Amino acid sequence: MSSVKFSFEDLKLYQKALTFIDDVYDVTEKFPKNEEYRLTSQFIRAVQSIAFNVAEGSGDTNAQFTRFLRISRGSLKECVVCITIAYRRNYIDENLNLKLREQAEELSKMINGLIKYLK
């Protein structure tokens, strides 16, 4: 890791979002090949968007950061839909479904808490 660090990299929300990204990458690698440009790519874009928007909004005004956090929250909701689809299509089992949903719930609480703090 580089010695140059940006302030957003210290945010717990950002760190948890990166872990969620890693887990989603691992999970989607096991999806059927025909989902590569459908569910897999949508899930990857949505999960990345959570961290992208936290990074982009941090260090700006509270109002701007809140706007980016709301976008992150929307992307998180997209991830929940992707988890549901993956589970319903039997791409993930009950345990993985639960694990991903728990991560999403934790991120949701962190985003909401940060939004409240910024107000």
Side-chain angles (χ1 to χ4, degrees):
M1 187 115 206
S2 148
S3 61
V4 177
K5 203 167 191 182
F6 292 85
S7 60
F8 68 83
E9 293 178 286
D10 289 328
L11 292 172
K12 275 193 170 157
L13 170 58
Y14 176 76
Q15 292 299 323
K16 294 274 184 182
L18 290 179
T19 300
F20 194 40
I21 289 169
D22 289 340
D23 290 347
V24 167
Y25 267 84
D26 291 344
V27 166
T28 56
E29 281 179 3
K30 295 173 182 84
F31 284 5
K33 200 74 177 143
N34 67 328
E35 289 291 358
E36 186 174 351
Y37 299 106
R38 299 186 307 196
L39 183 61
T40 300
S41 70
Q42 183 63 37
F43 204 170
I44 296 292
R45 281 193 314 274
V47 77
Q48 289 173 336
S49 177
I50 298 166
F52 288 158
N53 281 289
V54 169
E56 192 172 350
S58 72
D60 210 331
T61 65
N62 285 2
Q64 276 293 91
F65 194 13
T66 298
R67 186 173 77 77
F68 281 102
L69 289 171
R70 286 190 175 120
I71 295 168
S72 288
R73 188 169 55 194
S75 297
L76 182 60
K77 290 176 184 176
E78 284 184 57
C79 289
V80 172
V81 174
C82 291
I83 294 165
T84 302
I85 292 168
Y87 180 64
R88 289 172 61 112
R89 303 293 303 163
N90 294 310
Y91 300 158
I92 60 174
D93 64 17
E94 179 64 40
N95 289 336
L96 202 44
N97 178 51
L98 188 60
K99 177 188 176 192
L100 293 171
R101 286 178 162 280
E102 286 171 349
Q103 285 179 282
E105 181 182 30
E106 182 179 18
L107 282 168
S108 179
K109 287 177 180 176
M110 293 175 87
I111 292 169
N112 290 334
L114 191 48
I115 288 171
K116 283 180 185 170
Y117 172 79
L118 292 171
K119 286 182 178 182

